[in-house]
Amino acid sequence: QAFLPLVMNTWHFENATVAAWDRLVRARGSAVDAAEAGCAQCELEQCDGSVGYGGSPDELGETTLDAMIMNGDTMDLGAVGNLHRVKNAVGVARAVMEHTDHTLLVGEAASAFAQDMGFKAEDLTTNRSLNIFFQWLKTNCQPNFRKNVLPDPSKSCGPYKPEPKQKWRSQKPRTQTDLHSHDTIGMIVIGQNGQVVAATSTNGATHKVPGRVGDSPVAGAGAYADSTAGGAAATGQGDIMMRFLPSYLAVELMRSGIDPTTACKTAISRIKKYHGDFFGAIICASKTGEYGAACSKHPGFGEFPFMVFNSRTNRPVMEKVDCF
Ligand code: SD4
């Protein structure tokens, strides 16, 4: 049985769930307002260091952000990729949706747009992100690092390899926070009126090649919303996941009458066919508020937590799904 309204998000980011619910129900905001508020809460709190400023430094040590928001009533979408020096990436994504005819702005020009729209320019580097960067430099800086490129160690170190994250994941997590590091907030909000909105925000992959944009700001990859079918949002190895548009697939499966859990599983299975143990998860909700989730089993990642707040739970509840 389904219960609207619904707020649902990836991982255990409970304050984000509550922020979205408060905006939707207590402040009588729209589902767009709520999804923005939820993701913005994580950006502010730097959820697990993987959302917002001060996390996932790239090969040059800089933190950049990816975010999107999609309105399933109008099918409008705004997104930013590789956003520099602006903390509130989901706010900028909403500005792209509401103040331009475009869908996705990237890089320095996206930052210039953000500043034009009144967002503050600030350094996204913190002691924490610098430490991560310098630790990585110590072990990974090889001068002649990219094929057919003359060595220029002053420029960058690399090549980018996701190993540090995978190695880290296969270790026993030390704390609850460690367990969930390096993850994106993906949120689905369905208003009482049936409006489906999906949003994401992340600082992406650690030690990425500068310029890399992940799945989170890509329509149908990081998230998708269509009020005539449902919504979905993904987290995990975006470089792989974005090739399969898992959020779009899940929403289309729900449109055809498939239940949300099966839709999520099918979207993950499609990727597993080619990448047996990729790291990734997806949450799905049908337009009536039924929901489900699925994740791919990966060393050190056997279950995936997600948050649900609806008129039945009447409070934020963390649920878990076993990965397969
Ligand atoms: C990305 N999907 O940029 C994001 C990061 C993430 O777990 O969710 N990591 O690839």
Side-chain angles (χ1 to χ4, degrees):
Q1 210 183 338
F3 296 89
L4 292 180
L6 167 75
V7 171
M8 188 181 184
N9 60 267
T10 54
W11 306 109
H12 60 295
F13 303 148
E14 179 173 334
N15 292 344
T17 322
V18 171
W21 184 266
D22 282 352
R23 185 63 61 91
L24 186 69
V25 177
R26 303 218 164 89
R28 295 172 190 272
S30 68
V32 172
D33 295 335
E36 181 193 0
C39 291
Q41 181 67 32
C42 253
E43 290 171 346
L44 206 68
E45 288 181 16
Q46 305 165 279
C47 282
D48 279 355
S50 58
V51 183
Y53 67 104
S56 304
D58 66 18
E59 281 186 350
L60 297 175
E62 187 175 3
T63 294
T64 58
L65 307 179
D66 292 347
M68 72 166 255
I69 188 159
M70 180 165 188
N71 178 346
D73 269 4
T74 58
M75 302 307 282
D76 285 337
L77 186 149
V80 283
N82 189 25
L83 179 72
H84 300 248
R85 297 185 305 283
V86 178
K87 286 183 177 173
N88 181 205
V90 73
V92 183
R94 183 172 182 173
V96 172
M97 178 168 81
E98 294 182 346
H99 298 285
T100 78
D101 291 328
H102 307 311
T103 296
L104 171 63
L105 297 183
V106 300
E108 285 292 348
S111 311
F113 166 79
Q115 285 166 62
D116 282 351
M117 294 301 299
F119 291 84
K120 199 167 141 197
E122 350 178 34
D123 192 357
L124 303 189
T125 304
T126 59
N127 285 340
R128 182 180 174 276
S129 66
L130 276 181
N131 274 339
I132 298 170
F133 175 57
F134 286 127
Q135 275 306 113
W136 176 77
L137 272 191
K138 263 197 238 163
T139 48
N140 284 273
C141 193
Q142 300 146 10
N144 190 6
F145 65 91
R146 240 171 250 147
K147 260 192 263 168
N148 309 323
V149 176
L150 286 176
D152 184 355
S154 67
K155 278 217 170 117
S156 180
C157 283
Y160 163 71
K161 290 192 233 98
E163 271 82 356
K165 174 170 158 179
Q166 286 174 2
K167 220 190 280 160
W168 173 88
R169 279 201 173 275
S170 62
Q171 287 165 4
K172 221 168 154 230
R174 288 185 299 274
T175 65
Q176 185 73 353
T177 308
D178 282 347
L179 178 66
H180 301 297
S181 281
H182 305 287
D183 304 300
T184 298
I185 181 158
M187 181 170 264
I188 305 165
V189 177
I190 309 183
Q192 190 68 54
N193 57 1
Q195 181 181 24
V196 181
V197 172
T200 60
S201 184
T202 187
N203 50 35
T206 311
H207 315 309
K208 57 190 170 256
V209 175
R212 181 263 191 192
V213 173
D215 59 327
S216 302
V218 175
Y224 199 68
D226 182 337
S227 301
T228 66
T235 176
Q237 282 175 306
D239 295 289
I240 291 173
M241 296 176 81
M242 68 196 296
R243 304 168 195 162
F244 296 86
L245 298 183
S247 295
Y248 178 74
L249 176 59
V251 169
E252 289 310 306
L253 290 170
M254 290 188 288
R255 187 196 302 286
S256 73
I258 289 173
D259 69 275
T261 303
T262 309
C264 285
K265 275 192 173 156
T266 307
I268 293 287
S269 296
R270 188 72 60 87
I271 307 172
K272 279 176 87 72
K273 243 194 253 175
Y274 298 86
H275 302 277
D277 70 344
F278 84 101
F279 163 68
I282 185 167
I283 56 171
C284 303
S286 72
K287 65 180 179 183
T288 53
E290 282 139 302
Y291 60 84
C295 55
S296 170
K297 212 183 220 154
H298 180 82
F301 182 62
E303 56 180 23
F304 168 61
F306 58 96
M307 296 300 308
V308 175
F309 199 153
N310 64 17
S311 55
R312 183 181 63 86
T313 65
N314 216 19
R315 65 186 178 88
V317 173
M318 187 176 85
E319 294 194 23
K320 284 181 179 172
V321 63
D322 287 332
C323 301
F324 68 101

